[in-house]
Amino acid sequence: MRVEVVYALAHAQDIVALDLAEGSVAGEAVAASGMAQRHGLALAALRLAVSGKAVAPGERLRDGDRVELLRPLAMDPKERRRRRARGARRS
C-alpha cells in the first residue's frame, strides 16, 4: 500500500512517500520514513495524525493515508484566547 509521511515546519514541508505492507501501522510508517531521525525528533514523544485526525502509533493504515507528525503547541489555545481577551479589555 502507498502512504505519505509529512512533517510541516513554518518554512517548509518534508514529505516522504512509502510503499508498505498491508496491515502496517502509523508508527511503522514514521520509522520507515526516517523523518524522526532527520529532524531530531524522539519517536516515543511524537504525536501523530492520519489525514488531520489524531491517532496512536498502533493505528492501522489504509492505502493512500497521509501520516502527519504533529509539532508541539507553542501555547495552549485556551490560554492564548484568555490572554487575547485580557488585552482587548485593557484597550
Side-chain angles (χ1 to χ4, degrees), residues 1-14:
M1 80 178 141
R2 189 117 171 116
V3 299
E4 285 185 335
V5 179
V6 179
Y7 184 58
L9 302 166
H11 58 281
Q13 287 186 53
D14 190 358

Side-chain angles (χ1 to χ4, degrees), residues 57-89:
E59 180 77 18
R60 287 200 182 271
L61 299 174
R62 296 187 318 247
D63 188 44
D65 276 347
R66 180 180 171 106
V67 180
E68 301 151 357
L69 282 67
L70 303 176
R71 291 183 290 152
L73 296 174
M75 180 183 290
D76 177 50
K78 290 180 183 179
E79 180 59 27
R80 174 167 261 156
R81 283 191 293 274
R82 282 186 203 107
R83 288 183 183 187
R84 196 170 40 232
R86 267 189 250 134
R89 281 183 282 196

